[in-house]
């Protein structure tokens, strides 16, 4: 089983649609959770951190379910500029293992007019 | 503005040659990381450092080495390049006690 698993997609949605991505992780001791965005041939950039209480940033909402070891990202009112690969990222260690992140393979999103 | 840079951005080399990829950050971050990204594998950790003179092996460290002589730089060396090391390499950095990483623009390496 992969340590961090995502549906690779691709997801093809029209502008204005709502789309949700899911991610599961294998280590119940995981401490930190993130969604990164990666545009074609560019570096990954932090989209948002994911907290147990859930968090929202504009059109983006992230949720964490520790019991099910499951993370989600919801994008509302999709824009053409949201087209990218979305990476689920987990720190599966604890204590002083800062930055030892495990990346999912990414979910490809294409938003069309 | 603080930033993280990588050089070269593109490199073509031959099997067996030694190659060094540079990574430089001006955030004064303690933690620095090297990843490779390949289709079907996502980003995989090669080596990382939590400070000067500290280096650690990651998931795919065989054939690679790093050294950390100052806070700003973490060069990645391929001792004897192999075709399997053709990939896109990303450097990243973070603050000492943070998991939030900031990535450089990447180096596309081709080993012929």
């Amino acid at each position: 089983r992969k340590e961090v698993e995502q549906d690779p997609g691709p997801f093809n949605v029209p502008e204005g649609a709502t789309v949700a991505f899911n991610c599961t992780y294998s280590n119940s001791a995981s401490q930190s959770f993130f969604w990164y965005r990666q545009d074609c041939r560019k570096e990954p950039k932090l989209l948002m951190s994911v907290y147990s209480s859930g968090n929202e940033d504009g059109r983006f909402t992230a949720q964490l379910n520790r019991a099910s070891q499951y993370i989600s990202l919801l994008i509302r009112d999709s824009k053409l500029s949201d087209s990218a690969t979305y990476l689920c990222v987990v720190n599966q260690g604890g204590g002083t293992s800062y930055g030892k992140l495990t990346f999912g393979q990414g979910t490809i999103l294409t938003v069309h007019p | 503005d603080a930033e993280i840079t990588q050089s070269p951005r593109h490199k073509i080399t031959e099997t067996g040659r030694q190659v060094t990829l540079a990574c430089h950050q001006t955030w004064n971050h303690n933690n620095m990381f090297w990843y490779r990204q390949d289709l079907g594998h996502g980003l995989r950790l090669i080596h990382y450092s939590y400070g000067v003179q500290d280096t650690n092996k990651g998931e795919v460290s065989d054939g690679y080495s790093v050294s950390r002589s100052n806070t700003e730089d973490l060069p990645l060396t391929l001792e004897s390049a192999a075709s399997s090391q053709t990939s896109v390499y990303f450097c990243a950095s973070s603050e000492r006690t943070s998991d939030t990483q900031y990535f450089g623009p990447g180096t596309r390496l081709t080993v012929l």
Side-chain angles (χ1 to χ4, degrees):
Chain A
R1 179 185 173 187
K2 292 180 181 176
E3 293 184 38
V4 178
E5 197 149 5
Q6 296 180 247
D7 180 349
F11 287 69
N12 293 296
V13 303
E15 276 186 290
T18 295
V19 62
F21 305 140
N22 302 318
C23 170
T24 58
Y25 59 95
S26 60
N27 188 342
S28 60
S30 297
Q31 298 288 320
S32 306
F33 310 88
F34 307 90
W35 284 100
Y36 275 72
R37 170 196 169 123
Q38 186 173 26
D39 294 303
C40 187
R41 293 177 171 263
K42 297 287 186 68
E43 72 272 23
K45 292 185 178 179
L46 179 66
L47 179 65
M48 58 197 305
S49 302
V50 187
Y51 305 114
S52 297
S53 55
N55 49 301
E56 187 173 309
D57 183 2
R59 298 182 292 108
F60 299 84
T61 301
Q63 297 276 356
L64 168 64
N65 184 321
R66 285 188 182 271
S68 301
Q69 295 178 206
Y70 171 96
I71 306 160
S72 66
L73 177 68
L74 182 76
I75 304 175
R76 292 181 298 277
D77 188 22
S78 298
K79 311 292 185 190
L80 295 176
S81 57
D82 293 334
S83 297
T85 298
Y86 291 83
L87 305 174
C88 176
V89 184
V90 176
N91 182 338
Q92 304 219 76
T96 58
S97 66
Y98 293 109
K100 287 192 69 180
L101 305 179
T102 302
F103 288 75
Q105 289 189 46
T107 298
I108 299 170
L109 171 66
T110 301
V111 182
H112 57 82
Chain B
D1 284 344
E3 61 177 357
I4 180 166
T5 57
Q6 293 183 235
S7 62
R9 296 293 313 279
H10 301 272
K11 174 78 175 179
I12 299 174
T13 191
E14 295 177 342
T15 302
R17 289 190 181 269
Q18 185 181 78
V19 177
T20 297
L21 309 183
C23 175
H24 179 79
Q25 53 97 3
T26 58
W27 277 306
N28 203 35
H29 285 166
N30 286 95
N31 305 340
M32 295 185 72
F33 308 86
W34 273 104
Y35 297 89
R36 62 178 289 175
Q37 187 173 34
D38 306 285
L39 281 174
H41 288 284
L43 279 140
R44 292 181 291 174
L45 183 63
I46 305 172
H47 281 287
Y48 60 101
S49 168
Y50 286 144
V52 177
Q53 303 301 331
D54 176 74
T55 60
N56 306 279
K57 294 181 179 180
E59 178 189 359
V60 290
S61 61
D62 286 350
Y64 304 94
S65 64
V66 293
S67 62
R68 187 91 181 269
S69 58
N70 58 54
T71 300
E72 295 81 15
D73 299 289
L74 186 70
L76 177 72
T77 297
L78 286 68
E79 304 294 345
S80 177
S83 57
S84 59
Q85 294 177 308
T86 292
S87 187
V88 179
Y89 291 86
F90 288 104
C91 178
S93 70
S94 69
E95 294 179 358
R96 184 188 295 276
T97 58
S98 172
D99 280 331
T100 302
Q101 295 186 13
Y102 300 90
F103 285 79
T107 294
R108 187 170 297 272
L109 177 67
T110 302
V111 182
L112 301 175

